[in-house]
Amino acid sequence: MVNTSSSPHRAALLASAVALLGALTACGGADGTATAPRPTTPATQDRTTSPPSASPSERATPTPTRPASSPSAAGAVEPTSRCRTAELRAEVGRMDPGAGQRNFPIVLTNASARTCTVYGYPGAAFVDAAGRQLGPDPERAPGSPSRVTLAPGDSAWAGLSYSSPEISGARTARPAGLLVTPPDERKPIEVPWTAGAVPVSGNASTVRLTVFAPGSGP
């Protein structure tokens, strides 16, 4: 005789076992291992932490480098060099006539605040009011040049001479000025010419220059 009272009890046990197996399967991974929940990291979280910026008072201030000291210029003496055109004042001195000659001192005066020198012959040229040269360049008379040192305010002179046109019969012109160029310079100084006609061509029309000497005339 079959025991029918235990059948419902077995059915209940079988249903419980099936339900438990389903719960275990739902918690397992694909390979049957348990899967632990993963922590969630915000996408905006910066895992690299920078040290705080130093305040202006905490920042290191570089120490300025001082230039190497140079010898003091006090007491240094500037080497004496030739006088430049811009440092000089030019003038034509009073005529010194003699033996049919007309002689004039060309005077250069040091108008600067430094000492400078002149050496040799000046350049000279008579010009008209338009600046055109009258006659050929003067010739240099024989002489022995020497260096003339000019302190501020000192002068040196060179002689300019020619034969009197009334005696020589040379063709003449009346200049408006005389261009005087210091030795070894290119820029001249224009000096007004007030001594009348000068020879520009023909016999005995040569104008001559002498070397510089100290002073303002013979």
Side-chain angles (χ1 to χ4, degrees):
M1 177 178 222
V2 179
N3 188 1
T4 58
S5 61
S6 61
S7 295
H9 178 70
R10 288 178 180 177
L13 290 176
L14 181 60
S16 297
V18 171
L20 178 62
L21 180 62
L24 291 175
T25 304
C27 293
D31 56 356
T33 60
T35 303
R38 296 180 181 179
T40 302
T41 302
T44 58
Q45 180 179 358
D46 186 0
R47 294 181 178 272
T48 302
T49 304
S50 300
S53 300
S55 63
S57 60
E58 295 174 341
R59 294 173 186 163
T61 302
T63 302
T65 304
R66 294 184 178 181
S69 58
S70 57
S72 174
V77 178
E78 182 182 354
T80 302
S81 61
R82 78 172 185 266
C83 298
R84 306 288 180 171
T85 299
E87 299 175 314
L88 298 169
R89 183 177 68 252
E91 60 183 326
V92 177
R94 187 173 56 183
M95 182 182 66
D96 179 23
Q101 291 284 109
R102 292 185 179 179
N103 307 300
F104 300 86
I106 296 176
V107 182
L108 293 181
T109 300
N110 182 3
S112 74
R114 73 178 185 99
T115 298
C116 58
T117 63
V118 293
Y119 177 85
Y121 298 83
F126 293 110
V127 294
D128 61 16
R132 293 184 295 264
Q133 182 171 339
L134 302 173
D137 292 337
E139 294 182 359
R140 294 179 174 181
S144 299
S146 61
R147 195 171 305 279
V148 181
T149 300
L150 300 180
D154 286 351
S155 300
W157 72 280
L160 180 148
S161 62
Y162 53 87
S163 298
S164 299
E166 295 85 350
I167 298 173
S168 68
R171 189 172 68 86
T172 64
R174 188 175 294 271
L178 176 69
L179 299 182
V180 179
T181 306
D184 299 316
E185 290 290 295
R186 293 182 178 275
K187 185 177 180 180
I189 305 169
E190 184 169 358
V191 181
W193 182 260
T194 59
V198 299
V200 293
S201 65
N203 296 334
S205 62
T206 302
V207 178
R208 290 182 172 83
L209 295 169
T210 66
V211 297
F212 275 108
S216 57

